[in-house]
Amino acid sequence: MAVPLAVYALSLVPAVLWGFEPVVSKRGMDAGGSALQASLVVVVVDSGLYWLALLALRGTDPLASLSPAAVTVFFVAGLVGTALGRLATFTGVHRVGASINSAGISARPLFATALAFAWLGEPVSLATAAGIVVLVAGLVVLALAKGGDIGGWRPRELLFPLSAAAAFAVGNVVRRYGLETSPATALQAVALNETAALVALAGYAAVRGRWDVLTAPRGTYARFTVSGLLTAVALLSLFAALALPAGRIAVVDPLTGTAPLFTTLFAYFLLRDIERVTYGVVAGAALVVVGAGMITAL
């Protein structure tokens, strides 16, 4: 099946926006924000926008066409792929920096391949194995690049973006399954996804007594709100790409996975005072993107 231009366009929009969003988040963290605060502000903003759009387009019962099973699928995707993934993402931005974190998250196809091999018994081709080697080499280069957060970081802190990558890999598979097996639209799916994340993150904050999410410096809320707006558009575009008949993960994932290249570019120009973008960071990010593309597309 020929892939229409719309799939490419809708897949590249998240790449650019998710390339810029970590730069905004890093500024928020540097101004005194926290990963939990950032995660909550983002899901409040984008889930609110999605539900307003659903009510405007579908009236007072925007989920009438969906069965409880379909709703559950997208809730599960939100709990794993958004709540856990985003919390790990913002922690990674704070610890290792925007450019390193974005590249680490692009290891997502590595985890998707591992899940398919372990749970479904899918074989690993020689080309896929080569992609894994390239991707792992990129992660090693990143760990040794002496870039990222200007205050320094330890290689083990790469576990934060890698944990986010694993969560996003599971979430993407579950979302694609839900879009293929139900009449859900991209807007319905992403609204349910973000609502589940909001419930999970708010519950976590309440149980842990993390009321600092309400008392952070005022400027951090503005920055994280911008992150939420960027994420809202990026997620809707991603869901729209996956919902198209030709929106295969093998096409969509490698394109959205180019986000680290945009993050590296933006960080070089906009985060010079708080982050180092070395040649090693550029090389590592490029290797991760190429390896991820090989794993997904071959």
Side-chain angles (χ1 to χ4, degrees), residues 3 7-9 36 51 57 69 119 131-132 148 155 180 215 225 235 253 290:
V3 179
V7 173
Y8 292 113
L36 183 57
W51 282 109
L57 295 173
W119 291 353
I132 291 174
E180 287 180 336
T215 59
T225 296
L235 264 179
D253 222 46
V290 170

Side-chain angles (χ1 to χ4, degrees), residues 121-191:
E122 291 186 4
V124 177
S125 69
L126 183 60
T128 299
I132 291 174
V133 170
V134 172
L135 191 152
V136 172
L139 293 175
V140 172
V141 171
L142 285 174
L144 301 175
K146 299 186 184 302
D149 189 90
I150 203 168
W153 53 277
R154 291 165 290 184
R156 69 184 183 187
E157 289 176 312
L158 273 176
L159 288 175
F160 290 109
L162 291 177
S163 297
F168 290 147
V170 174
N172 276 357
V173 172
V174 175
R175 292 176 193 124
R176 180 62 176 169
Y177 171 79
L179 289 167
E180 287 180 336
T181 58
S182 76
T185 65
L187 185 56
Q188 288 173 319
V190 76

Side-chain angles (χ1 to χ4, degrees), residues 271-297:
L271 294 178
R272 290 189 177 188
D273 56 326
I274 57 175
E275 190 160 326
R276 295 189 193 94
V277 178
T278 64
Y279 289 116
V281 171
V282 176
L287 285 171
V288 169
V289 169
V290 170
M294 292 172 65
I295 293 170
T296 309

Side-chain angles (χ1 to χ4, degrees), residues 20 24 102 272:
F20 184 62
V24 179
S102 184
R272 290 189 177 188

